[in-house]
Amino acid sequence: MALASCCGGGPGYATPLDAMNHGPREKLVYVPCITPTSRKTECADYLATIDVDPNSPTYAKVIHRLYMPNKGDELHHSGWNACSSCFGDPSKSRNRLILPCINGDRVYVVDVGTNEREPRLFTSVEPWQLHNKANLGAPHTTHCLGSGEVLISCMGDENEEGKGGFVLLDGQSFIVKGTWEKKPLEFGYDYWYQPYHNVLISTEWGAPKAFRSGFNPQHVADGLYGNHLNVMDWTTHELIKRIDLGPDGKLPLEIRFLHDPTATEGYVGCALSSTVFRFFRAPNGQWEAEKVISIPPKKVTGWAMDTMPGLITDILISLDDRYLYFSNWLHGDIRQYDITDRRNPKLVGQVFLGGSVCKGGSVKVTSDPELKSQPDPVYVKGQRLRGGPQMIQLSLDGKRLYVTTSLFAKWDDQFYPELAKEGCQMYILDVNNVTGGLSLNPNFLVDFGKEPQGPMLAHEVRYPGGDCSSDIWLAHTGVKNKM
């Protein structure tokens, strides 16, 4: 069963609004399932295919599991061999899902084109290939390029030292072609590119030897985590500027340009500082950044520290560039902001979904500038939501937000140890994308605590036809940049 080509020749959609207005409702999603650290030598990670069609008899069920051939890899994020950046090229097809392994220094390539309901392993890029051909490790974000090649950001080298770089794969054979950047960066994590503005901008998590061992505040003080945006020339592959986000920009993780390919701005969530920065190209042509959202920490007792940050771990922008969504993994809420005024986001939706400050737990909030009382535990289909909301994925039409709860296995152990024992969950928020608002869907819950080989951790959500964090649109080549 071949995946449908969307709206014409080649993969994806002509424009973001075309995807939003004419894209089909999602019926399947792919979710990496990660073995908790206590069992990582016993069981392999796998890619779960989940039925999200409300009219299906297997709605909210895992209908297929593709087990990886190695253990301890830690599947994390995923991307495509081809997306909307290849729209109009009938020689390209979105038929391979790319699965970098954040701990195993390996990249799996999965065939989802032959049968989208039963993915199969196509090939893999082995650690020695990343190490020897690119001197990189800890692969993270995958984007396809308009050329048909695949570009994957990396966060370190084979010795687990911090090192930002990009490995370039052939889009057909998936052979490592080498590195994309002229010189390595200090740190790496996520990235977004826009050839129309001749730019690639990347973010910084930290050195693998730091984050793989669990979160240690001393590592931040020791300089093992980042707080810069790296602005790179798309044509020459050279670093042209490092934007220092300062103390309010610690651990900048997910970065999103506006989907309009002519736009010269976007947003990045900074986890530890719990802030959102707007990055933009100034009138003088320089790329800059300014803080536009700040989530105040809570004073607490019964926790690892006396101050608890929200910990913004994922952000998304709707395809019409109207709404920004992000998760506060520790505080336990998801927020929706109207960003039509780009410099002044307006909070229009918020819902609490568990987290570390629920009533009845060991943590007591002693001072909170936002809430008058600690939120109540939340239940779906009779089950209490465990952990906090982490990865989020918005439906093309902007009406459903899928949520999973694992951040990174070692960090899950620290902050939500119940996830390793009871498993993660996946649920849906119904979205008011007219005036704003979020509500929990009472009819959908996937419990990864009941998996065949024991409780599993669930991370990023992908749709077979692409989504608002996988696809990058390119401006029409006939339009000339005015700057």
Side-chain angles (χ1 to χ4, degrees), residues 77-100:
H77 284 209
S78 61
W80 294 105
N81 65 315
C83 70
S84 293
S85 65
C86 301
F87 180 81
D89 183 348
S91 70
K92 302 294 187 299
S93 176
R94 190 197 305 263
N95 60 2
R96 303 287 185 263
L97 185 67
I98 316 299
L99 291 170

